[in-house]
C-alpha cells in the first residue's frame, strides 16, 4: 500500500527509483558499492566471516558443555543454524550479487529485512527470535572487521560513488548524510535522496542543491516506512516522499519530471544573456562552487565569476593529512584558470558544526549533546586556532592570484580581534612568499557577514575589507538562534524574519555608503522568492549554485526596478514581511508587464 512521508523540500525536482536504505539498522557499518569484478571476492569475504563465526560458536559450545544450562547450549545451536540458514546466508549474498553492496552493508540490509518480518509476527516466541538474528549478524560484522584487519592494510574509506548502473534507478534513504558523503553523489548512481534529519540550509541540503539532485530532509519516519528496494518518488518541490506509488501517481510524477526538464532547457537558453533589469540596471550573477571542477558548470550556467568557493570541501573525504600548500595551490589555480579571467572568490576553510572533516565526526557531533558545534570552533575560529594550517592556505591562495583575479573571503568573522589576526596572517603569508621569491598576486580581501555582531558592526569592519559577502544561511541561524541543521526547529528557521531582513538591508546600505562591493552568497540569493526584495534593498550582486542561476536571471530580466518603489520599506516595516514581500513582487511583475 502506498504511503507518504513528509519532510522539508531542499532540492527541487522529482526523483523516482528503488530505495537503497543506509544505516537504518542499529549497526553502523561502512556502505559502498563493489565493482562488478570484485563481487566474487566480496562474497568470499562474507563466506570467510561466516566460517569464522561458525568455528567460534562451535568452540564456545565445546567450552560451555558440562555444567552449563542446556538452554545456553541450545541457543548456540540456534545461532549456528541461523548462520547457515538460507534467509541469512544466501539472502545476504544476494544483496552483494544483485545490488553490489559491500559485505557489511549486505549483512545490515538483510538484518533490516528480517527485523521487519519479525516485528510483524503475531507469535511472541517467534518475535523474540529477532534478538538471535541480531546477535548473529553482529558476530558476522565483527568477523568481517577482524578478517579485514588480519589480511589487508588499513582499508581506505570507500564510497557510494561507484555502483552498478544497470537496472532500476536508485534513490538513497538514510538517517543522515554528511556533506562530505554528499559530495560523492557527483556522478553516482543515485537520482535523489531522503534523510531523517537536517534542515533547509544544512550543508547536506546545500550540497544536494548544488548537485541538482531532488532531495527531502527531515523526513523523520523515512527509515521506518521505506523498505529496501521499495519504489519511491521523491518530490523535492513539496518535501514529500511517496512509497510504493500507484501507477496513476507514478505517471503523474513522470509527467512532472518531463515538464521540469523542458523548463530547464528553456531557461538554459538565457545563458549568454546578461542579467539586466527592464530599466537597464545590470546585476552581477556569480556562482557558488565546492570544488575546482564545478567552475565549468558555473561558466556553462553563464556566471560572471565565482562568488563563493567553499574551500573546505578540498579538506574532506581524505585519509590522513590535510591538503598541503602545493595541492591547494593547484586546486585554486585550476578554478582560477577555468574561469578565464573572471573573478574567483575563495573562502578560507569553513570546517566545523555540520561540516566536519569526516563522517565519523558528524556522527559524534550529533550524539554529543553537551556541545553546541554551531557556536564552537568553526570557520575563521578554526583557522586562527591553527596558524600554520591557515598560512598554508593563505599562501596557496595568494599564489593562485598570479593566474587571474582572486578575492579572499573570510568566513564567520565576528570580533575585531579576529580581523586583526586575519590581516596579520595574510601579511605573514605574503612575507614568506616574498622571502622565498615565490610568485604571488594581489587579492581583494573580504569578510562574510553571517553573525549579527558583524552585521551590526559592518561599517567599522568595512574599514579593513575591500568587500563583504552576506552569508544568509548562518546569519539566519545566529540571529534567530535556530540550528540550521536541526529539523526539530526547522519550522522556526525564517529568512523572512524582520530582524534578518533588517540586518541584510543595513549591511547592503552600509557597504554602498562605504563604496564597497557587497554580495549575498547564502541560499536566499538563489531563491526566486527573494529576488525582488533583495533588489529593492539595493543588492546588485547575487551568488548561488550554478543550477539556480537561470531562474534568478529570468526573474531579473522581468523586473523593472522603478516598480519596486517602496518595497524595501514595506517589507522592513510590515507585520508580515513574507506576505508584503510576495505582494510587492507580484505587483512589480504586473506593473512591468512581466506577468502577462
Ligand atoms: C552562509 O552561511 O550563508 C554561507 C554562504 O556559508 P555556508 O552555507 O557555507 O555556511
Ligand atoms: Mg556560512
Amino acid at each position: 500500500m502506498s504511503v507518504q512521508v513528509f519532510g522539508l523540500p531542499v532540492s527541487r525536482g522529482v526523483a523516482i527509483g528503488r530505495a537503497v536504505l543506509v544505516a537504518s539498522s542499529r549497526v553502523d557499518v561502512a556502505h559502498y558499492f563493489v565493482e562488478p569484478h570484485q563481487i566474487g571476492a566480496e562474497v568470499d569475504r562474507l563466506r570467510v566471516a561466516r566460517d569464522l563465526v561458525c568455528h567460534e560458536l562451535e568452540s564456545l559450545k565445546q567450552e560451555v558443555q558440562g555444567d552449563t544450562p542446556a538452554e545456553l547450549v541450545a541457543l548456540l545451536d540456534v545461532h549456528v543454524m541461523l548462520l547457515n540458514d538460507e534467509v541469512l546466508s544466501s539472502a545476504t549474498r544476494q544483496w552483494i550479487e544483485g545490488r553490489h553492496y559491500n559485505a557489511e552493508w549486505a549483512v545490515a540490509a538483510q538484518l533490516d529485512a528480517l527485523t521487519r518480518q519479525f516485528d510483524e509476527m503475531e507469535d511472541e516466541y517467534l518475535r523474540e527470535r529477532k534478538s538471535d538474528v541480531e546477535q548473529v549478524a553482529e558476530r558476522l560484522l565483527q568477523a568481517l572487521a577482524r578478517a579485514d584487519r588480519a589480511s589487508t592494510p588499513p582499508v581506505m574509506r570507500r564510497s557510494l560513488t561507484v555502483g552498478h548502473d544497470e537496472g532500476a534507478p536508485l534513490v538513497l534513504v538514510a538517517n543522515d548524510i554528511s556533506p562530505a558523503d554528499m559530495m560523492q553523489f557527483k556522478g553516482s548512481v543515485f537520482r535523489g535522496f531522503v534523510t531523517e534529519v537536517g534542515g533547509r540550509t544544512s550543508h547536506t541540503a546545500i550540497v544536494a542543491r548544488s548537485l541538482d539532485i531532488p532531495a527531502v530532509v527531515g523526513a523523520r519516519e523515512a527509515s521506518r516506512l521505506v523498505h529496501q528496494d521499495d519504489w519511491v518518488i521523491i518530490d523535492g518541490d513539496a518535501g514529500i516522499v511517496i512509497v510504493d506509488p500507484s501507477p496513476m501517481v507514478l505517471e503523474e510524477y513522470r509527467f512532472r519530471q518531463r515538464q521540469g526538464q523542458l523548463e530547464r532547457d528553456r531557461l538554459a537558453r538565457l545563458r549568454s544573456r546578461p542579467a539586466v533589469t527592464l530599466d537597464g540596471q545590470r546585476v552581477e550573477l556569480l556562482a557558488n562552487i565546492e570544488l575546482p571542477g564545478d567552475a565549468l558548470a558555473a561558466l556553462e550556467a553563464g556566471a560572471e565569476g565565482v562568488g563563493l568557493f567553499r574551500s573546505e570541501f578540498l579538506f574532506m573525504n581524505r585519509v590522513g593529512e590535510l591538503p598541503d600548500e602545493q595541492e591547494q595551490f593547484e586546486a585554486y589555480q585550476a578554478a582560477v584558470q577555468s574561469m578565464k579571467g573572471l573573478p574567483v572568490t575563495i573562502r578560507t576553510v569553513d570546517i566545523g558544526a555540520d561540516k566536519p572533516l569526516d563522517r565519523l565526526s558528524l556522527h559524534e557531533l550529533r550524539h554529543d549533546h553537551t556541545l553546541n558545534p554551531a557556536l564552537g570552533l568553526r570557520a575563521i575560529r578554526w583557522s586562527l586556532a591553527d596558524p600554520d594550517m591557515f598560512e598554508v592556505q593563505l599562501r596557496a591562495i595568494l599564489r593562485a592570484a598570479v593566474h587571474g583575479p582572486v578575492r579572499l573571503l573570510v568566513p564567520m568573522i565576528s570580533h575585531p580581534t579576529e580581523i586583526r589576526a586575519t590581516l596579520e596572517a595574510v601579511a605573514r603569508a605574503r612575507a614568506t612568499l616574498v622571502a622565498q621569491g615565490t610568485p604571488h598576486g594581489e587579492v581583494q580581501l573580504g569578510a562574510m557577514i553571517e553573525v549579527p555582531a558583524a552585521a551590526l558592526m559592518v561599517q567599522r569592519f568595512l574599514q579593513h575589507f575591500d568587500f563583504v559577502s552576506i552569508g544568509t544561511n548562518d546569519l539566519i541561524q545566529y540571529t534567530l538562534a535556530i540550528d540550521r541543521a536541526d529539523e526539530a526547529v526547522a519550522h522556526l528557521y525564517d529568512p523572512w524574519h524582520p530582524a534578518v531582513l533588517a540586518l541584510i538591508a543595513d549591511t547592503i546600505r552600509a557597504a554602498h555608503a562605504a563604496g564597497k562591493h557587497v554580495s549575498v552568497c547564502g541560499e536566499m540569493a538563489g531563491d526566486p522568492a527573494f529576488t525582488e526584495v533583495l533588489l529593492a534593498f539595493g543588492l546588485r550582486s547575487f551568488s548561488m549554485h550554478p543550477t539556480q542561476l537561470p531562474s534568478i536571471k529570468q526573474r531579473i530580466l522581468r523586473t523593472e526596478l522603478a516598480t519596486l518603489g517602496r518595497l524595501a520599506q514595506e517589507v522592513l516595516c510590515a507585520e508580515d514581511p513574507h506576505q508584503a514581500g510576495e505582494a510587492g513582487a507580484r505587483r512589480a511583475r504586473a506593473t512591468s508587464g512581466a506577468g502577462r
Side-chain angles (χ1 to χ4, degrees):
M1 197 190 60
S2 175
V3 278
Q4 295 189 357
V5 190
F6 297 90
L8 302 165
V10 294
S11 185
R12 303 190 52 185
V14 171
I16 302 172
R18 283 200 180 274
V20 171
L21 260 76
V22 167
S24 59
S25 79
R26 62 196 192 90
V27 282
D28 190 13
V29 297
H31 298 80
Y32 56 92
F33 290 113
V34 290
E35 300 277 8
H37 69 271
Q38 295 171 326
I39 288 175
E42 201 62 14
V43 171
D44 280 347
R45 274 186 73 219
L46 182 67
R47 189 181 41 72
V48 169
R50 199 196 57 198
D51 292 349
L52 214 72
V53 176
C54 231
H55 180 72
E56 251 171 38
L57 290 171
E58 290 296 350
S59 323
L60 204 61
K61 236 171 69 184
Q62 300 302 326
E63 276 172 36
V64 299
Q65 296 282 12
D67 55 350
T68 313
E71 289 88 348
L72 182 56
V73 179
L75 203 65
L76 290 172
D77 277 334
V78 169
H79 284 195
V80 174
M81 214 175 67
L82 277 173
L83 199 59
N84 293 306
D85 196 291
E86 288 289 289
V87 293
L88 198 63
S89 66
S90 73
T92 304
R93 204 178 59 234
Q94 275 303 311
W95 288 112
I96 302 176
E97 290 172 346
R99 287 256 169 255
H100 301 194
Y101 290 1
N102 63 309
E104 289 86 348
W105 188 1
V107 172
Q110 186 53 22
L111 175 61
D112 262 0
L114 290 175
T115 315
R116 284 177 199 280
Q117 285 175 19
F118 278 112
D119 284 345
E120 281 160 16
M121 284 176 183
E122 300 275 317
D123 185 309
E124 197 175 334
Y125 172 79
L126 285 178
R127 222 174 31 235
E128 281 169 6
R129 298 284 60 79
K130 185 172 88 172
S131 62
D132 293 318
V133 177
E134 285 173 347
Q135 284 167 23
V136 171
E138 206 132 317
R139 275 184 187 278
L140 262 176
L141 292 171
Q142 284 166 5
L144 280 165
R146 272 203 311 277
D148 259 5
R149 275 200 298 275
S151 65
T152 52
V155 198
M156 290 268 294
R157 256 199 72 209
R158 287 162 293 191
S159 71
L160 295 166
T161 38
V162 281
H164 63 131
D165 51 9
E166 70 258 21
L170 302 178
V171 298
L172 189 66
V173 181
N175 175 260
D176 197 4
I177 306 172
S178 74
D181 279 345
M182 269 305 295
M183 284 305 286
Q184 307 204 18
F185 269 96
K186 214 167 269 197
S188 85
V189 290
F190 296 110
R191 305 284 172 85
F193 86 92
V194 181
T195 66
E196 295 184 301
V197 301
R200 265 196 187 85
T201 58
S202 62
H203 283 94
T204 302
I206 287 177
V207 177
R209 271 196 287 281
S210 79
L211 301 180
D212 208 13
I213 302 174
V216 172
V217 304
R220 286 192 174 181
E221 295 286 283
S223 291
R224 194 176 65 78
L225 295 171
V226 184
H227 301 179
Q228 289 282 1
D229 248 18
D230 276 350
W231 274 101
V232 166
I233 296 173
I234 299 175
D235 181 342
D237 298 305
I240 300 174
V241 181
I242 304 169
V243 190
D244 200 9
S246 68
M248 224 167 72
V249 171
L250 205 56
E251 191 37 51
E252 165 67 19
Y253 272 95
R254 288 202 200 285
F255 174 74
R256 279 182 45 187
Q257 260 184 330
R258 289 193 293 273
Q259 293 297 103
Q261 191 51 49
L262 286 176
E263 174 68 3
R264 272 199 289 276
D265 293 347
R266 197 178 59 74
L267 287 175
R269 287 188 225 123
L270 300 176
R271 181 189 171 281
S272 47
R273 265 182 79 178
V276 182
T277 61
L278 287 171
D279 40 359
Q281 175 65 55
R282 186 78 201 243
V283 178
E284 181 184 48
L285 296 186
L286 304 166
N288 292 354
I289 66 170
E290 274 88 37
L291 289 173
D294 301 339
L296 287 179
L299 279 181
E300 259 164 40
E304 297 165 80
V306 170
L308 176 65
F309 177 173
R310 289 184 161 101
S311 69
E312 54 275 12
F313 285 91
L314 296 174
F315 289 62
M316 297 176 183
N317 288 323
R318 308 177 61 91
V319 178
E321 295 290 296
L322 299 181
D324 64 14
E325 182 181 324
Q326 184 60 21
E327 185 181 339
Q328 287 191 55
F329 161 66
E330 284 168 17
Y332 305 143
Q333 179 195 33
V336 170
Q337 285 177 334
S338 300
M339 292 306 292
K340 301 185 169 81
L342 296 171
V344 176
T345 311
I346 304 172
R347 179 174 72 181
T348 59
V349 67
D350 184 358
I351 285 295
D354 71 330
K355 257 185 306 190
L357 282 178
D358 56 49
R359 189 171 66 93
L360 250 192
S361 36
L362 179 77
H363 187 76
E364 281 157 11
L365 282 175
R366 287 220 180 278
H367 292 86
D368 189 344
H369 298 294
T370 60
L371 290 178
N372 192 338
L375 301 181
L377 196 67
R378 66 166 285 209
I380 188 63
R381 301 168 182 182
W382 200 78
S383 295
L384 291 176
D386 188 346
D388 292 342
M389 187 273 315
F390 191 32
E391 280 174 47
V392 164
Q393 177 165 41
L394 293 173
R395 287 198 298 274
I397 295 173
L398 291 170
R399 286 172 58 193
V402 171
H403 301 279
V406 169
R407 298 173 181 164
L408 194 159
L409 181 60
V410 190
M412 220 184 143
I413 283 270
S414 57
H415 200 285
T417 55
E418 288 168 345
I419 301 179
R420 268 197 301 281
T422 302
L423 295 177
E424 282 165 14
V426 175
R428 273 198 306 275
R430 196 186 299 283
T432 306
L433 294 172
V434 170
Q436 293 169 342
T438 308
H440 58 283
E442 285 303 316
V443 296
Q444 291 203 335
L445 195 61
M448 284 197 76
I449 303 300
E450 37 188 4
V451 179
L456 293 168
M457 302 270 297
V458 69
Q459 227 168 337
R460 278 163 64 182
F461 278 24
L462 274 163
Q463 293 166 11
H464 306 282
F465 293 101
D466 302 304
F467 69 99
V468 287
S469 188
I470 308 175
T472 50
N473 308 334
D474 277 319
L475 188 60
I476 300 166
Q477 154 164 275
Y478 295 123
T479 305
L480 304 182
I482 302 296
D483 188 334
R484 62 195 265 192
D486 186 350
E487 75 287 353
V489 286
H491 60 291
L492 300 171
Y493 184 94
D494 180 13
W496 289 104
H497 191 292
V500 171
L501 295 171
L503 289 175
I504 296 172
D506 289 350
T507 302
I508 295 170
R509 196 177 319 116
H512 286 162
K516 304 271 169 100
H517 186 271
V518 55
S519 142
V520 169
C521 64
E523 296 299 300
M524 282 171 81
D527 184 343
F530 296 98
T531 310
E532 286 87 357
V533 171
L534 290 173
L535 286 170
F537 286 171
L539 190 73
R540 298 293 178 263
S541 175
F542 294 63
S543 192
M544 67 207 77
H545 306 297
T547 51
Q548 296 169 325
L549 213 134
S551 53
I552 299 298
K553 187 185 279 185
Q554 172 170 268
R555 205 82 180 201
I556 289 167
L557 290 170
R558 293 177 173 181
T559 302
E560 191 174 347
L561 285 181
T563 63
L564 294 182
R566 299 181 321 278
L567 179 59
Q569 258 339 87
E570 281 169 9
V571 168
L572 290 170
C573 301
E575 264 307 301
D576 184 344
H578 188 172
Q579 197 199 13
E582 280 188 343
R586 251 195 325 272
R587 204 174 53 229
R589 281 200 297 277
T591 322
S592 66
R596 278 174 245 145

